[in-house]
């Protein structure tokens, strides 16, 4: 199925108006479809599986900025740190330690978002606020010199209840505001990655500056 170009241009314009970054989530989709969006100017793409990401990165242009948005196993970290732009789902101290270890080996420092658990479902990965605080304190104390923590990422509950989605995004924005601007030393603007195909408008209204959109662009995944 071809990508939905109309949707792409419409979403891109909406995001530009909000100064938010679009990550096109291409998991399970073939490289031809990624090329179609690339030809329209899209450079940020998100993938969930290490093997799939590596195979695609090999076949596609070098100036694509790959975002790893899935749950990353520690034994796979070293496979992606040499080339990935942003590891979005850092959901434990253990994982951050491994990224730190691998980060010392390449040229540029791996950039990460810490994933915060905001959804009701138990199955979604992420730290609670106390864990996040602990990790950020260690980071500020200099424990992870080979990693750059750029911001936070979160996934809302799988629901059509708009008020519920909104309240979960509000929680993440509040945590971001509390933990990020003054407490973390950074030289570039912070990243708050929230919003997907079904809820990105609400996420933007609640302060997101990066959204991860798959099915609206590529169609439903089987
Ligand atoms: C698959 C996925 C997305 C994109 O989901 P859509 O509903 O297809 O837009 C966004 N974020 C994460 C973490 C995902 O796993």
């Amino acid at each position: 199925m071809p990508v939905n170009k109309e949707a792409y241009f419409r979403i891109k314009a909406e995001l530009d108006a909000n100064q938010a970054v679009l990550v096109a989530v291409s998991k399970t989709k073939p490289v031809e479809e990624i090329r179609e969006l690339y030809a329209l100017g899209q450079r940020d793409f998100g993938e969930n599986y290490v093997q799939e990401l590596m195979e695609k990165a090999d076949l596609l242009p070098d100036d694509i900025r790959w975002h790893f948005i899935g749950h990353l196993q520690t034994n796979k970290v070293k496979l992606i740190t040499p080339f990935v732009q942003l590891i979005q789902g850092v959901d434990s101290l253990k994982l951050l330690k491994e990224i730190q270890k691998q980060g010392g080996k390449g040229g540029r420092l791996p950039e990460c978002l810490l994933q915060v658990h905001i959804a009701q479902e138990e199955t979604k990965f992420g730290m609670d606020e106390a864990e996040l605080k602990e990790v950020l304190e260690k980071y500020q104390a200099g424990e992870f010199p080979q990693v750059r923590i750029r911001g936070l990422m979160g996934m809302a509950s799988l629901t059509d209840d708009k008020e519920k989605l909104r309240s979960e995004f509000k929680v993440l924005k509040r945590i971001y505001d509390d933990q990020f601007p003054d407490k973390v030393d950074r030289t570039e603007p912070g990243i708050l990655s929230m919003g997907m195909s079904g809820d990105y408008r609400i996420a933007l209204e609640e302060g997101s500056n990066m959204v991860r959109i798959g099915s609206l662009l590529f169609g439903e995944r089987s």
Side-chain angles (χ1 to χ4, degrees):
M1 224 174 64
V3 299
N4 188 335
K5 292 186 182 176
E6 264 169 52
Y8 175 70
F9 287 120
R10 177 173 48 75
I11 292 167
K12 190 79 178 86
E14 266 180 279
L15 293 182
D16 286 348
N18 284 280
Q19 291 175 311
V21 173
L22 171 62
V23 177
V25 177
S26 48
K27 63 186 179 202
T28 78
K29 299 295 175 180
V31 289
E32 295 73 44
E33 295 187 10
I34 298 176
R35 281 188 209 282
E36 279 184 55
L37 272 194
Y38 181 90
L40 303 180
Q42 180 64 23
R43 292 295 179 271
D44 291 274
F45 288 91
E47 290 281 341
N48 283 48
Y49 308 100
V50 169
Q51 198 56 40
E52 184 181 347
L53 168 59
M54 301 221 310
E55 285 167 19
K56 286 175 170 173
D58 228 23
L59 296 169
L60 288 159
D62 284 341
D63 63 344
I64 286 184
R65 295 183 289 268
W66 292 106
H67 296 243
F68 191 80
I69 62 172
H71 174 63
L72 183 57
Q73 291 168 297
T74 49
N75 62 346
K76 303 236 167 110
V77 168
K78 61 175 177 294
L79 300 173
I80 65 167
T81 44
F83 71 94
V84 84
Q85 174 79 23
L86 188 62
I87 302 175
Q88 292 213 15
V90 178
D91 53 11
S92 70
L93 186 57
K94 180 169 164 244
L95 178 56
L96 190 64
K97 282 181 176 163
E98 180 60 20
I99 298 171
Q100 154 70 23
K101 199 164 123 199
Q102 299 304 330
K105 296 178 182 166
R108 54 184 266 287
L109 302 187
E111 300 195 8
C112 301
L113 302 183
L114 301 179
Q115 185 170 354
V116 183
H117 187 278
I118 53 170
Q120 201 171 39
E121 293 106 66
E122 272 301 320
T123 53
K124 295 232 163 86
F125 293 100
M127 307 179 192
D128 64 24
E129 194 173 3
E131 286 173 278
L132 176 77
K133 207 160 170 250
E134 188 195 327
V135 170
L136 287 174
E137 276 165 10
K138 289 182 194 296
Y139 180 62
Q140 281 177 288
E143 274 193 41
F144 303 104
Q146 305 294 348
V147 179
R148 294 187 57 208
I149 299 179
R150 295 291 313 279
L152 303 182
M153 182 269 226
M155 282 172 91
S157 294
L158 204 63
T159 174
D160 292 329
D161 182 344
K162 290 201 163 51
E163 285 321 303
K164 182 164 178 51
L165 293 166
R166 189 178 297 284
S167 72
E168 291 177 357
F169 290 139
K170 272 192 202 297
V171 167
L172 185 55
K173 177 64 159 69
R174 201 265 306 149
I175 294 174
Y176 176 78
D177 287 341
D178 281 357
Q179 304 291 340
F180 246 76
D182 46 345
K183 297 222 183 95
V184 178
D185 171 42
R186 54 182 162 75
T187 51
E188 288 178 83
I191 299 173
L192 178 57
S193 173
M194 60 183 196
M196 316 190 350
S197 290
D199 57 21
Y200 78 94
R201 286 213 174 97
I202 302 173
L204 287 175
E205 285 166 13
E206 297 306 327
S208 165
N209 60 19
M210 180 176 279
V211 303
R212 311 172 308 270
I213 295 190
S215 40
L216 282 182
L217 302 173
F218 294 101
E220 295 296 330
R221 289 174 296 273
S222 43

